[in-house]
Amino acid sequence: MRKLSPEVKEGFRRFRHQRRAYYSFIVLTVLFLLSLPAELLCNSKPLLIYCNGRFYFPVFKTYTAQDFGGDRQVEPDYQSRYF
């Protein structure tokens, strides 16, 4: 791993002493990290389905209605009451 030059270390030290900028950076970094799993949690597909004694993961693999006992080769509507 490379060591940081004295100029870069001085720049980081000055940045940390600017409280508003440093705290804004911390807050924005935390908000960014919290938003990373949002696409996984807020979508139209369930994370896990237990059907007919098997586990299915529609988020990671595309299943057809036939996989769940249907008669068509299309992706099922997971939010339908008939599913």
Side-chain angles (χ1 to χ4, degrees):
M1 189 168 145
R2 295 178 52 183
K3 291 192 174 194
L4 296 175
S5 68
E7 293 86 14
V8 173
K9 285 182 181 180
E10 178 65 23
F12 282 139
R13 186 192 65 75
R14 283 188 294 163
F15 180 72
R16 279 196 312 257
H17 286 297
Q18 295 177 1
R19 290 186 178 181
R20 186 181 296 168
Y22 182 68
Y23 291 135
S24 296
F25 174 73
I26 297 294
V27 167
L28 288 174
T29 302
V30 168
L31 290 174
F32 173 72
L33 292 174
L34 288 174
S35 73
L36 287 177
E39 180 65 29
L40 182 67
L41 296 175
C42 301
N43 59 16
S44 62
K45 293 182 180 181
L47 298 175
L48 173 70
I49 295 176
Y50 182 75
C51 182
N52 299 330
R54 294 186 58 202
F55 289 100
Y56 297 94
F57 299 92
V59 172
F60 302 115
K61 183 180 175 190
T62 303
Y63 297 102
T64 64
Q66 289 180 340
D67 295 328
F68 300 108
D71 56 351
R72 299 175 57 191
Q73 278 281 29
V74 296
E75 188 172 2
D77 181 13
Y78 296 109
Q79 296 178 348
S80 169
R81 74 167 72 166
Y82 300 111
F83 176 72

